[in-house]
Each structure stands twice: as C-alpha cells, then as structure tokens.
Amino acid sequence: MDIESFKNLAGLQGMLLIMLVVGLIARKTGTITEAGKKSITDLIINIILPCNIIYSFMIEFSYSIFISCGVVLIISILIQVMCTAISRFCYNKVPGGKKEVLQYATVCSNAGFMGNPIAESVFGSIGLLYASIYLIPLRIVMWSAGVSYFTHTTDKKTLIKRVATHPCIVAVYIGLFLMITQIQLPAFVNKTISTIGSCTTAMSMFIIGAILAEVNVKTVISKVTLLYSGLRLVIIPLVVFAGCMVFRVNPLLTGVSVVLAGMPAGTTTAILAAKYGGDEKFATKCVVLSTVLSLITIPIWCTVVIAIGA
C-alpha cells in the first residue's frame, strides 16, 4: 500500500471521526435537541438516504459489464448469505434489544459509505467499478432483511408490507430500474438527487455523535462490542480472503471483496435503532468502536491484499 493511498484512507477515516465529534458537540451544546435528533433521523431515512441509494445505482450497465463483474457479484451474494446466517445463529443468547442491533450490524457494514472512496483510492477506477457492483446485494439486503430486524410485528403480512414500502427499499427499486434500463434523467434532476444524497455521510455521523453524547464513553468498550468488532473487522474478511485463495479468484477481485467485507458497522445501525425504538446507545457503541478499530484493520487488510498482487 503506497503512501498516497494510505494518506487518502487515513484522511477519509479521520473525516468521519471529526464529523462524529461535531455531532457530539452539537448535542452537548443543545444545537441538536432531542426533538431535533428525531427530525434529522426521519430526514435521513425518508429523503437523504433514498437519494443516496438511487444515485449509487446510476452506473453504466451492460450485459458485458455483468459478465466481467459476475465473480465479484457472486462473492458479494455469498458474503451476504454468510452474514445473514451468522446473525441468525450467533446471537441467540444476547438480550433482545442488543440482539437486533448485532444482527443488523453484522449483515450491514459501512461499505456503502466508505467502500467506494476506499476502493477507488486503493485500487483505482476499476476498483470503484467492482465496488459499485459489490454493493448491489448489500444494499438490497440492508433495506429488506436488515430493516426487518427492527420492525417487529406478529403479523407477517404487515411486516412484509412495511419492509417492501420502506423509502429506502423503494429507492432500491427505482435505482435498479434506472440502472437496467439506462434511462437518463434530466440533468437538473440528476444533480438534485446527487446533491441531496451527498449529505448522507455528514448527517449520519452527526446523528451518531449526537447519540454518543448521551452515552458514557467508558462503556463503549465491552466484551460484546469487542467480540462484535473482531467478527466484523477480522473474522468475516478473513473467511472471504481464505475463500478467494482456495478458489484462486483474481487478485484484484479478491482485494476489493476482502477490503469491503472488512468495513465497520454501518452508521445506519444507530439511525434505524433510533428510528424504531431499538437500543440506539448500544448501536452507537458498536458503530463507534468498530469504526475506531477499523483505522487499524483496514490499512492492514489493504496491505495484505496488495501484497498478493491486487
């Protein structure tokens, strides 16, 4: 991993932490009130994130691209299957409020926010293309099975309807349609969607910081959060790396898949927990600790995959 790539990676992660601190200060000083926190959360879920999702699907599409990117797409699907299985069987002894957080955080990493810029920084433009393809299954699972962890109901039809009509799932429908049909939206519409969607990272980190302001920092590190971070940042990418080695996957595809598989907990973990009455404080601890530890693990994984020729 060259010095320039390392600087770009460190800069991106440093930016996320600074945004988090800004949100924390804003909550401590009353700039973000309790009511304001709820309003911002609703704004992110219902408007900003959907725009970000739609824009993420606006990539060049052709059958030849899917053929060339088929391997990374398959790897991504298998990773989602593995993470879903882990979330289904590994947290049965964890109390309900924390269980749903760990389930979502295992299935949904922060690859959606950090993946593309890191892939482009480390692997160049071709890495960005592969990352965009990799994120398709993740986004679909994130806003289907992922949302279902927080939207509890005994009526399965109601649950399916609630998930299927969630604004972020509707955005996936629209994004897939635009990508497959290659319909070009008017420039001003495209720019509007892009501009609103670009607020996702900043607004998400502000909310994480605002929630963290209400958390005892000394309790962020615990046995559960450490075990989760180890699973998310070390075990999952290690399994992906081993699998790619066994099946002799192209080194570049291996590199992109491993690095994206090793991203920390998605910031939406805390946002959805806050939105649907989950354990938002525990969710924030998972996001914060895994993000901080990823400052160490992501550069290590980048170095490893580059060493094998990615």
Side-chain angles (χ1 to χ4, degrees), residues 80 84 87 103-104 107-108 139-151 159 163 169:
Q80 290 308 123
T84 301
S87 69
Q103 287 179 314
Y104 182 90
V107 171
C108 307
R139 291 191 183 281
I140 293 173
V141 172
M142 177 183 291
W143 300 113
S144 54
V147 173
S148 71
Y149 293 131
F150 292 104
T151 53
L159 175 60
V163 172
I169 277 292

Side-chain angles (χ1 to χ4, degrees), residues 161-182:
K161 181 179 179 181
R162 186 181 297 172
V163 172
T165 58
H166 190 280
C168 291
I169 277 292
V170 174
V172 171
Y173 304 152
I174 296 171
L176 283 171
F177 175 77
L178 292 175
M179 184 181 72
I180 292 171
T181 61
Q182 287 292 282

